[in-house]
């Protein structure tokens, strides 16, 4: 049964194959490929866009472009460590402290600035050197009458800067048609960078001195005001020290209390031994009354308020208020004296820091003198130019065939 089904299936497939062969005879087979106009256009575009420019670029690089020598230098900004003496002054060294990273950021921007270009151009005459091969080597030279803005653009080509913001290290590579001239440019950049760090030092010193002198002047005025207020208090109250004065008055009160107790005892003794009409009894009574009056007056003086003093035309002896005012004035005076001493120490520290250079340029690579030309990098430039030309040509061909297929 299965065999019969298989034979039937094979027969049907053979019939379908014969029908397919008979139908194929009506359609011709594909003809051999041949060049068409669009193919010649692609080849011509490759020669025009890729091959010819690449040959021209490499020919220029190897026959016309002049050798350039590279000088390398590296430096960073350092700050002097603060001494233990300044730490003992309570951190007053912060007046003159600075971050080396921010100074390196300043130098990184300064080297690329027009100010640096002008300074180096005044020393070395950059236009004359870099225009000596114009217009023969026009790609790597600058035109003689270039403006300062155009020369600044060219400056970015011959001076390449590498900067690590984490460590603050700056590496500068300068290119020139002469090895010694490239080294001179690197040394000029190094010298101008040192001058800029010195200027930053001077500014920091001036700021530190100005702040310290202003703080000292303010502290001195506060000290004068505190002493004047205390002097006015003593003049107004006629009391040098209320604490000592009240202790003296309390001593007087204690003495009067002792005299009163002794007089009362003597009076009782006289009254028991003689009559009331005795002159000694009257004298003793008079003594007791005088002592009691004096004690009452002393107590009134100790507790007299400002209003009572104004009414009686006397000086106020409200000792609680006097003590409160005196303590406040005394605390103000102590605070003013401490502030003045601190400001004076800060001024001395600022003067000490101003007497030495707190920032300096640490050069870890001196400007090198090249022995072989490193620029222009002919192989790299030629290969990259050919690669970009191939990319441009490929994109153009893809765009052409994409538009052709859609149309």
């Amino acid at each position: 049964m299965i065999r019969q089904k298989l034979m039937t299936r094979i027969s049907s497939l053979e019939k379908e194959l014969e029908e397919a062969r008979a139908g194929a005879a009506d359609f011709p087979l594909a003809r051999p490929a041949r060049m068409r106009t669009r193919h010649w256009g692609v080849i011509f575009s490759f020669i025009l866009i890729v091959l010819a420019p690449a040959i021209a670029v490499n020919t220029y690089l190897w026959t016309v472009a002049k050798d350039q020598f590279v000088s390398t230098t590296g430096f960073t900004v350092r700050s002097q460590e603060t001494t233990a003496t300044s730490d003992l002054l309570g951190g007053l060294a912060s007046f003159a402290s600075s971050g080396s990273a921010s100074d390196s950021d300043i130098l990184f921007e300064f080297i690329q600035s027009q100010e640096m270009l002008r300074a180096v151009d005044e020393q070395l005459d950059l236009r004359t050197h870099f225009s000596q091969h114009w217009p023969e080597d026009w790609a790597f030279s600058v035109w003689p009458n270039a403006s300062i803005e155009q020369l600044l653009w060219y400056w970015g080509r011959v001076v390449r800067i590498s900067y690590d913001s984490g460590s603050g290290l700056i590496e500068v590579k300068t290119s020139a048609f002469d090895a010694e001239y490239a080294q001179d440019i690197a040394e000029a950049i190094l010298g101008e960078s040192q001058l800029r760090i010195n200027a930053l030092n001077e500014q920091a010193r001036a700021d530190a001195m100005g702040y310290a002198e202003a703080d000292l002047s303010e502290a001195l005025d506060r000290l004068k005001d505190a002493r004047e207020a205390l002097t006015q208090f003593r003049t107004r109250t006629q009391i040098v020290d209320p604490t000592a004065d009240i202790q003296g008055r309390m001593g007087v009160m204690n003495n009067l209390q002792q005299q009163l107790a002794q007089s009362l005892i003597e009076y009782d003794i006289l009254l028991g031994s003689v009559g009331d009409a005795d002159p000694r009894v009257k004298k003793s009574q008079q003594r007791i009354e005088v002592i009691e009056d004096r004690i009452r007056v002393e107590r009134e003086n100790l507790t007299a308020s400002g209003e009572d003093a104004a009414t009686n035309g006397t000086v106020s002896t409200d000792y609680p208020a006097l003590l409160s005012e005196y303590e406040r004035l005394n605390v103000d005076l102590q605070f003013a004296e401490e502030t003045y001493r601190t400001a004076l120490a800060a001024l001395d520290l600022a003067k000490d820091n101003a007497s030495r250079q707190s920032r300096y340029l640490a050069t870890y690579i001196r400007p090198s003198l090249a022995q072989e030309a490193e620029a222009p990098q002919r192989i790299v430039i030629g290969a990259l130019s050919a690669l970009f030309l191939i990319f441009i040509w490929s994109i153009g061909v893809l765009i052409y065939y994409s538009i052709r297929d859609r149309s």
Side-chain angles (χ1 to χ4, degrees), residues 210-355:
Y211 294 147
E213 290 175 354
D215 291 341
L216 181 61
S217 178
E218 182 179 354
L220 182 59
D221 293 339
R222 179 180 294 179
L223 180 60
K224 290 180 180 179
D225 293 340
R227 287 180 176 177
E228 184 178 357
L230 188 59
T231 302
Q232 291 178 356
F233 168 81
R234 288 169 176 171
T235 303
R236 174 172 55 84
T237 60
Q238 298 180 357
I239 299 174
V240 176
D241 188 351
T243 304
D245 188 75
I246 196 173
Q247 288 178 356
R249 288 182 177 271
M250 291 304 298
V252 173
M253 287 285 294
N254 292 333
N255 189 17
L256 289 175
Q257 291 286 354
Q258 292 176 0
Q259 292 182 16
L260 178 61
Q262 186 178 359
S263 298
L264 288 175
I265 293 172
E266 293 177 355
Y267 175 76
D268 292 337
I269 294 174
L270 287 174
L271 192 62
S273 59
V274 297
D276 295 339
D278 191 285
R280 289 177 297 177
V281 173
K282 292 183 179 181
K283 185 176 180 180
S284 180
Q285 289 179 346
Q286 184 180 4
R287 177 181 175 84
I288 292 172
E289 291 175 356
V290 170
I291 293 175
E292 289 178 346
D293 291 339
R294 175 50 54 190
I295 291 174
R296 184 177 66 256
V297 170
E298 291 295 332
R299 287 177 176 175
E300 289 177 353
N301 289 336
L302 287 174
T303 59
S305 62
E307 295 180 358
D308 295 337
T311 303
N312 299 331
T314 59
V315 178
S316 174
T317 53
D318 185 3
Y319 278 93
L322 290 177
L323 285 174
S324 176
E325 184 178 1
Y326 177 76
E327 290 295 334
R328 178 179 60 80
L329 294 174
N330 195 29
V331 168
D332 291 342
L333 179 60
Q334 293 177 1
F335 179 76
E337 290 175 348
E338 186 66 27
T339 303
Y340 177 76
R341 284 193 292 269
T342 303
L344 193 60
L347 180 61
D348 292 338
L349 181 62
K351 290 180 179 179
D352 182 63
N353 289 334
S355 64

Side-chain angles (χ1 to χ4, degrees), residues 56-210:
V57 169
N58 284 274
T59 302
Y60 181 89
L61 289 172
W62 292 97
T63 60
V64 179
K66 304 301 180 181
D67 290 338
Q68 295 185 18
F69 299 85
V70 178
S71 177
T72 303
T73 183
F75 51 86
T76 185
V77 181
R78 294 296 182 187
S79 299
Q80 286 184 346
E81 299 292 336
T82 56
T83 60
T85 304
S86 60
D87 294 336
L88 293 175
L89 292 175
L92 296 175
S94 59
F95 284 104
S97 63
S98 61
S100 59
S102 61
D103 296 334
S104 298
D105 292 337
I106 293 173
L107 281 186
F108 176 71
E109 297 296 334
F110 174 66
I111 294 173
Q112 305 175 73
S113 67
Q114 190 178 114
E115 184 178 356
M116 171 65 82
L117 173 62
R118 289 182 181 275
V120 177
D121 187 34
E122 290 177 359
Q123 299 179 32
L124 302 176
D125 193 7
L126 297 175
R127 286 185 180 85
T128 301
H129 177 79
F130 288 106
S131 64
Q132 59 181 317
H133 299 297
W134 178 270
E136 180 184 358
D137 186 10
W138 56 269
F140 298 98
S141 300
V142 68
W143 42 100
N145 57 349
S147 63
I148 189 64
E149 289 79 13
Q150 295 168 341
L151 191 60
L152 182 62
W153 167 81
Y154 187 80
W155 176 261
R157 296 180 56 186
V158 298
V159 177
R160 296 180 298 276
I161 309 172
S162 299
Y163 173 50
D164 184 2
S165 59
S167 59
L169 299 179
I170 300 177
E171 184 175 303
V172 180
K173 292 185 176 181
T174 58
S175 303
F177 297 117
D178 181 76
E180 294 181 354
Y181 195 86
Q183 187 183 35
D184 292 341
I185 294 177
E187 291 179 348
I189 292 175
L190 196 62
E192 291 298 324
S193 300
Q194 181 65 67
L195 292 177
R196 180 49 52 100
I197 290 300
N198 292 338
L200 292 176
N201 270 330
E202 292 299 328
Q203 182 178 359
R205 292 169 185 169
D207 292 342
M209 290 294 295

